[in-house]
Amino acid sequence: MMSVGTPLLWSAFAAFVVVALLIDFFAMNKQGAHKVSMKEATIWSVIWVAVSFIFVGLLWWYMGGTGTDAAAKQLADTKALEFVTGYVVEKALAVDNIFVFLMLFTYFAVPAEYQKRALMIGILVALVLRGALILVGAWLIAQFHWILYLFGAFLVFTGIKMWLAAGDEPDLEANPALKWVRKHFTIAPHFDGEKFFTKVNGLRMATPMLVVVILIGIIDVVFAVDSIPAIFAITTDPFIVLTSNVFAILGLRAMYFLLAGLHEKFHLLPYGLALVLVFIGTKMLLIDIYKIPIEWSLGGTAAILTVTMLLSVMIKPKSDTPHGAFPFDSKKEDTPDERR
């Protein structure tokens, strides 16, 4: 599969991500456990978005975007636009993650001062797993072109399913991932600071914090099954796919604290995300008949999300319950287990 990723670019990107994560961990440890304010969340969100656009700007410059070679300039423009489009799509789809994270923290009554570390570790695990999924997906597409049609059909199906499920309150109690965690761990009835394990009556148990971190990682990977095929509809370049995905996820923690309090205001957003998936899936299904320009993909995605958010502000929600489709299908049991 053709890629603009040279050994130098891959090395520089890997080094940058490692440095960024180290800085983030250092800042988090220095601050200690604390409730993230709206001001702090806004600052970090702006920083991550700015860093992402600085990266694509440097990539565009490195590829000859400012040079006189017309072919190199066109390639630089195309790859930069692919990155921005992929980044916007991944950011948009990540909003659904945020709604589920909010439900998860509420369900386990995670203290506000512990949520930051839980998100950081969970997202770090998700980054590694997403990287593996992207590399596998890129290899499959390179070997079997028809996989694109399978991805496209899956996105259309998922979008329709998300539309039908939008507005329904997720049932975390009957979720298979939570059942698996309960089966493999004895869970303590309380938190012990930010520790993952504690002792209760002399018995070593997992704290609710460990359960939350595991579920965050699982949830993000499940959502990646939707978002990764979506970005392959925009570009099949593994370097652009991976970098846009990683930069979108790096800012997810800050975006959570920024949007967690606004979830009710954008109650129609799941419908918009469903339309985005159907739009991207249709684009992938038509790839050998008509290749929809990247500009249309970016413009269409931005238009759908903008209209959805405007309608969310104009139309009041029918209920006060958080909205968003949880990525597992299951029915609530007649006799649910203890929550912890």
Side-chain angles (χ1 to χ4, degrees):
M1 181 174 291
M2 297 298 293
S3 175
V4 298
T6 62
L8 176 61
L9 284 178
W10 281 111
S11 300
F13 170 67
F16 176 85
V17 171
V18 171
V19 171
L21 289 173
L22 289 175
I23 292 175
D24 210 10
F25 267 113
F26 175 78
M28 183 173 62
N29 288 331
K30 186 176 181 180
Q31 292 173 333
H34 71 289
K35 181 179 180 179
V36 177
S37 65
M38 183 65 72
K39 180 181 178 181
E40 181 183 347
T42 302
I43 291 174
W44 276 104
S45 294
V46 171
I47 289 174
W48 283 119
V49 172
V51 166
S52 302
F53 279 88
I54 289 173
F55 170 81
V56 72
L58 290 173
L59 177 64
W60 176 78
W61 169 82
Y62 175 81
M63 294 183 62
T66 59
T68 57
D69 187 331
K73 190 176 187 307
Q74 183 179 7
L75 180 61
D77 292 343
T78 299
K79 293 303 176 181
L81 191 58
E82 287 178 354
F83 176 93
V84 173
T85 305
Y87 178 79
V88 171
V89 169
E90 292 300 318
K91 274 290 188 186
L93 294 177
V95 172
D96 227 24
N97 295 47
I98 289 175
F99 291 159
V100 178
F101 292 164
L102 177 63
M103 179 194 67
L104 191 63
F105 287 148
T106 302
Y107 180 87
F108 283 96
V110 181
E113 60 270 22
Y114 300 158
Q115 293 179 7
K116 187 176 181 181
R117 182 175 293 275
L119 281 171
M120 184 64 187
I121 298 174
I123 290 172
L124 182 61
V125 173
L127 280 174
V128 176
L129 296 177
R130 274 195 180 223
L133 286 175
I134 288 171
L135 293 177
V136 171
W139 179 83
L140 286 174
I141 292 174
Q143 299 296 319
F144 312 103
H145 179 72
W146 54 266
I147 287 288
L148 290 173
Y149 293 108
L150 186 62
F151 283 175
F154 176 74
L155 289 176
V156 172
F157 171 77
T158 303
I160 294 173
K161 187 177 177 183
M162 182 182 290
W163 178 281
L164 296 175
D168 295 339
E169 186 175 359
D171 183 12
L172 183 59
E173 181 65 37
N175 179 260
L178 181 56
K179 289 181 178 179
W180 181 89
V181 172
R182 283 175 170 163
K183 182 178 179 181
H184 291 80
F185 294 94
T186 302
I187 305 172
H190 55 75
F191 287 85
D192 186 3
E194 295 180 331
K195 295 179 180 178
F196 290 154
F197 293 94
T198 188
K199 284 190 176 182
V200 178
N201 297 326
L203 297 176
R204 184 176 174 80
M205 298 183 180
T207 66
M209 175 67 83
L210 177 63
V211 179
V212 170
V213 169
I214 292 174
L215 290 178
I216 287 175
I218 293 174
I219 288 168
D220 188 79
V221 171
V222 171
F223 272 109
V225 175
D226 297 338
S227 63
I228 290 176
I231 197 171
F232 274 118
I234 296 166
T235 177
T236 55
D237 187 324
F239 184 76
I240 302 299
V241 171
L242 184 61
T243 53
S244 58
N245 241 275
V246 168
F247 276 105
I249 296 302
L250 282 175
L252 184 59
R253 177 170 57 84
M255 192 167 72
Y256 165 80
F257 291 107
L258 184 63
L259 298 181
L262 302 177
H263 65 283
E264 292 180 359
K265 191 169 287 187
F266 300 123
H267 61 283
L268 296 179
L269 193 55
Y271 293 100
L273 297 176
L275 290 177
V276 168
L277 286 178
V278 172
F279 172 63
I280 298 294
T282 302
K283 177 181 184 296
M284 186 172 280
L285 290 173
L286 297 175
I287 192 169
D288 289 327
I289 300 175
Y290 176 73
K291 191 170 183 179
I292 298 176
I294 299 297
E295 295 87 346
W296 291 19
S297 298
L298 179 59
T301 300
I304 291 171
L305 296 176
T306 301
V307 170
T308 305
M309 288 189 286
L310 289 175
L311 289 176
S312 294
V313 175
M314 295 168 60
I315 302 174
K316 293 182 179 180
K318 293 181 180 180
S319 65
D320 296 328
T321 55
H323 295 282
F326 198 72
F328 296 99
D329 285 329
S330 54
K331 295 182 179 179
K332 191 172 181 63
E333 296 176 339
D334 294 332
T335 308
D337 298 328
E338 292 291 325
R339 286 192 174 184
R340 302 183 183 90

